[in-house]
Amino acid sequence: MTKPKLGLFIIADAELDNRLEAAKRLDIATAHLLAPLSRDRQPQNRRMLMQKFNRAGVQISAVFCQFEGESYSSIPVVKQTVGLVPAHLRQDRTKEAKAISDFAAELNVGITALHLGFIPEERETRDYQALVETTASFCDHCAANGQSLHLETGQESAEALLQFITDVGRKNLAINFDPANMILYGVAQPVPALKQLGDRVKSIHCKDAVWSDKPGETFGEQVPLGEGEVNIERFVQTLKSMGYTNPYTIEREIVGEDQLRDVEQGVKLLRKLIDDIYF
Ligand code: MG
């Protein structure tokens, strides 16, 4: 079986050069790039990004949307501010999301991804229908750019996410599975959820976390890969049994030297697990 490549989630901030240098040193071949805000997506910025990634030998496999005004400070704040779910922001953000898909296409990237936000449980409402229609229109925009659209997991159950994908009804709609988010948001045990989502999972984040003592009310805590409650070994075994061979993209949402140290530890762990489990 083809051995999956490793990847790194990269933010193009002041530490970009350090992250790319680390990726090169650790022989990480791919990356998920967090899209810069619109003021930093000018052609000259794009060319500079492309040059830096090319020089490091790192291929961008997906571009993740971020929107001005989003905050991950607490679970209630995420509900109010993140993604295309907040109704009063939906129109502007959908326009921005489509511009990010265009930016990704100019970088020759075949996946645009985003945190859609907390998908409502109640399906028989006008708001749910509007969210389905917005997502379908975003999928169509991505398809015209030759891309698929990946929804980051985390805030809702596997059942709710699958139902939403069925309701949107677009072939290029898939899932970026982040096992730690399931724990951080107090949603479910990640490995069973991964099995449930099955072949809709086309990309992943390798991130670990421990449960909150008030799951769903307060965030759990992110920890270095292998030190949390995801069970990374079972995670890799499950992905292999599903036939998953796309990149394993490490995401460590801290900054500075500590981030690079944890990424290096994560790379060692994943390389060993992939070598043992994929053959
Ligand atoms: Mg993630």
Side-chain angles (χ1 to χ4, degrees):
M1 197 169 181
T2 317
K3 271 191 193 169
K5 290 177 180 165
L6 292 190
L8 184 61
F9 191 97
I10 289 185
I11 300 174
D13 61 10
E15 290 187 54
L16 173 65
D17 290 344
N18 293 342
R19 294 194 182 103
L20 283 173
E21 202 183 302
K24 190 177 180 183
R25 181 168 52 81
L26 298 169
D27 202 19
I28 294 175
T30 72
H32 286 180
L33 173 69
L34 184 67
L37 294 172
S38 59
R39 61 172 177 268
D40 295 323
R41 291 199 310 267
Q42 305 307 317
Q44 66 271 27
N45 301 98
R46 192 180 68 236
R47 279 193 293 274
M48 183 203 67
L49 271 178
M50 221 167 181
Q51 272 174 9
K52 287 188 174 192
F53 276 83
N54 285 344
R55 221 176 287 147
V58 176
Q59 192 190 1
I60 302 169
S61 61
V63 172
F64 274 70
C65 297
Q66 69 166 331
F67 304 110
E68 240 156 327
E70 287 185 313
S71 168
Y72 290 85
S73 60
S74 72
I75 292 178
V77 169
V78 171
K79 276 189 185 163
Q80 288 158 15
T81 67
V82 168
L84 304 183
V85 168
H88 64 292
L89 301 170
R90 191 174 296 143
Q91 207 180 356
D92 286 349
R93 285 200 175 162
T94 303
K95 208 170 143 201
E96 176 68 359
K98 289 176 179 175
I100 291 171
S101 161
D102 296 344
F103 171 78
E106 283 158 358
L107 289 167
N108 299 316
V109 176
I111 300 170
T112 298
L114 88 163
H115 272 267
L116 195 68
F118 275 76
I119 296 171
E121 297 273 320
E122 181 58 67
R123 294 172 60 225
E124 308 302 325
T125 65
R126 201 174 285 182
D127 193 50
Y128 182 88
Q129 196 46 45
L131 186 62
V132 165
E133 283 165 17
T134 296
T135 308
S137 125
F138 186 22
C139 280
D140 293 343
H141 190 92
C142 290
N145 277 331
Q147 297 166 337
S148 48
L149 173 61
H150 291 196
L151 301 180
E152 170 97 354
T153 53
Q155 300 91 346
E156 52 285 310
S157 65
E159 294 85 354
L161 185 56
L162 284 174
Q163 182 62 58
F164 181 75
I165 287 173
T166 303
D167 290 340
V168 174
R170 292 295 190 275
K171 281 204 176 88
N172 66 329
L173 185 57
I175 293 168
N176 182 76
F177 188 84
D178 184 325
N181 283 352
M182 297 257 153
I183 293 175
L184 291 168
Y185 287 90
V187 173
Q189 289 292 346
V191 172
L194 171 64
K195 284 184 194 158
Q196 236 176 313
L197 295 171
D199 61 10
R200 280 286 183 175
V201 175
K202 304 288 189 202
S203 61
I204 57 167
H205 285 160
C206 298
K207 189 169 97 191
D208 214 340
V210 293
W211 287 82
S212 156
D213 52 6
K214 290 182 196 150
E217 280 181 55
T218 60
F219 275 126
E221 192 192 341
Q222 287 193 41
V223 295
L225 205 63
E227 294 180 13
E229 295 176 295
V230 164
N231 193 338
I232 298 298
E233 186 171 353
R234 278 196 52 217
F235 179 58
V236 178
Q237 283 165 344
T238 305
L239 285 163
K240 194 245 176 182
S241 71
M242 289 160 53
Y244 179 90
T245 55
N246 292 336
Y248 276 62
T249 304
I250 297 174
E251 184 180 28
R252 183 69 175 119
E253 296 178 279
I254 56 174
V255 293
E257 286 302 310
D258 291 351
Q259 183 189 42
L260 299 182
R261 182 204 60 215
D262 290 353
V263 165
E264 186 159 359
Q265 181 186 319
V267 165
K268 277 186 194 148
L269 175 67
L270 279 179
R271 281 235 161 86
K272 183 176 180 329
L273 289 174
I274 288 171
D275 280 346
D276 289 350
I277 292 168
Y278 280 81
F279 47 81

